[in-house]
Structure formats: C-alpha cells, structure tokens
Amino acid sequence: MVRVSVAHRPTPLASALALLLCAASTAILAPTLDQRVAVLAALAGTGLVAAGGREFSAPVPQGRLWTALGAALVVGAILRGETLADPRHSIELVPGLVGMALVGLGVRPIRQRFARRFVSAGLAVMIVGVSLAGIFEAAGPLRLLGAAAAAVAAWDAAEHGISLGEQLRTDAGTRTVELVHTGATSAYGAATVAAALLVYDHGATGLPLSGLVLLLAAAVTLLALLYR
C-alpha cells in the first residue's frame, strides 16, 4: 500500500488574516509610537514563524534561520513592551503581543493537535488584556469593544483556517470562502460594537465597569455563537 502524505495545515490566507486582526486588536489598545512599533515587530516575527514549513507560490521567507529571526522579533517585542517607561503602556501592550504569538503558534502549528488550544489561549490572553486596559488604563468603550471584537474575529479566522486545513489541502481554492467568512465576522463585530456604543451613549453613560465588562462578554459570546 502506498501512503499519500496530505498537508492538512491551517490555510495561509486565513492564518494571515488572523494575525492581522490580532495586530489590529493590540494596536487599538496601544496608541503610542513605541507600542505600535512593537506591534509591527511582533506581527512580522509571528508571520515568519507561522510561514515555516509551508509551500507558497510567491517568494515568502522560510527556513530555520527565518523562523529563528521571527521568534527573536516576537520575544524582543514582548521584552520591549515589558520595559516601557509607563507601566500602564506595558499593560496595554504585552497581553496583545503574547496573544498574537499564541495564535501564530496555532496557525503554524508546532503540533497539529495543539492548534486549536494555542488559538483559544491566544484569544483568552487578548481578552484579559482588554479587561486590564479597562481596569487600569480607563480606556474608553470604543477602544475596549473594538479591541475585543477584533480579537474574537482573529480567533474566528484562525479556527476557520484550521477547519479548512483539516478538511481540504491548503492549496485548495478556498480564498473566496476565507475572505467572505472573515469579512462577515468582522462586519458582525463592527455592528455589535456600534450597537453597544449606541446603548452606552443613550442613557448608559454612567455605566459601571461591571456593566462594561458585561458588554464585552456579550460581544464575545455573540461572535462565538456566529462561528458555531
């Protein structure tokens, strides 16, 4: 019997969209130049790590040296985030960077059976980061809800890429499906954020932190239900 090797890995487009949404979620909470330079460095590094071992028609940097460089960029960005002069800026930044790194491992993945665990852990860390930004930095509802929605959309895109990779080869023609799915999820997240802000601005301006957290939880739950 001849064994045929099939590359069931997360699809590259959905993986890239997931990482971009992770970066967007983190950048929404981290508005300073230093923070966003760290976000870009982590995004580039995570992309190099996630690209390792794949087959691309376009010239994409791969190989152990590029993977090592990517890992170094991610670690350097996290260390830079931890040593910012203002500790509040570190609180805004570091959870998002760690979450991005975990999602990156999930869409690589190091071991296939760990893919969903890494992606779920990444979402959990990013949501914790959103909550910390609300508690310690008093970030406004737009930033909190926008960052939470982008984090869930990133998780959804990664899960979708993993599912497609399990069912089809990664070189199958699924780009339209991936773009439509991620676009629909992102649009739903934007509508959820808009609805929550509308409620907040009309009669709920004195909303306590616990209420805002409930709004965040509702946004996360609704987007998760959309995926299911």
Side-chain angles (χ1 to χ4, degrees), residues 155-227:
W155 167 77
D156 175 76
E159 285 276 353
H160 191 229
I162 292 170
S163 296
L164 288 176
E166 288 174 345
Q167 298 166 15
L168 305 168
R169 289 184 61 91
T170 55
D171 57 357
T174 58
R175 290 186 178 182
T176 301
V177 174
E178 294 171 70
L179 289 172
V180 169
H181 181 94
T182 304
T185 303
S186 300
Y188 185 84
T192 303
V193 170
L197 288 175
L198 190 63
V199 172
Y200 184 80
D201 289 338
H202 291 79
T205 52
L207 193 67
L209 180 60
S210 58
L212 189 57
V213 171
L214 286 177
L215 282 177
L216 288 170
V220 171
T221 302
L222 287 172
L223 284 170
L225 288 176
L226 176 67
Y227 172 75

Side-chain angles (χ1 to χ4, degrees), residues 21-193:
L21 287 165
C22 285
S25 174
T26 308
I28 288 171
L29 293 176
T32 70
L33 180 60
D34 282 348
Q35 290 171 314
R36 292 192 171 175
V37 169
V39 172
L40 288 176
L43 176 61
T46 307
L48 288 174
V49 172
R54 292 178 178 272
E55 294 181 359
F56 294 98
S57 56
V60 176
Q62 296 185 73
R64 292 182 179 178
L65 287 177
W66 286 107
T67 300
L69 174 61
L73 280 172
V74 174
V75 172
I78 293 174
L79 291 176
R80 174 57 182 153
E82 288 182 340
T83 55
L84 291 174
D86 189 338
R88 294 175 302 176
H89 291 174
S90 297
I91 292 173
E92 293 172 338
L93 179 63
V94 173
L97 298 182
V98 174
M100 190 191 310
L102 290 171
V103 172
L105 290 175
V107 296
R108 177 181 166 90
I110 294 178
R111 289 183 184 277
Q112 188 78 16
R113 62 194 178 96
F114 291 146
R116 296 184 190 280
R117 295 179 184 177
F118 276 124
V119 171
S120 296
L123 171 65
V125 173
M126 285 191 288
I127 293 299
V128 168
V130 173
S131 301
L132 291 176
I135 293 171
F136 294 104
E137 183 60 7
L142 177 59
R143 289 174 61 197
L144 295 177
L145 291 170
V152 176
W155 167 77
D156 175 76
E159 285 276 353
H160 191 229
I162 292 170
S163 296
L164 288 176
E166 288 174 345
Q167 298 166 15
L168 305 168
R169 289 184 61 91
T170 55
D171 57 357
T174 58
R175 290 186 178 182
T176 301
V177 174
E178 294 171 70
L179 289 172
V180 169
H181 181 94
T182 304
T185 303
S186 300
Y188 185 84
T192 303
V193 170

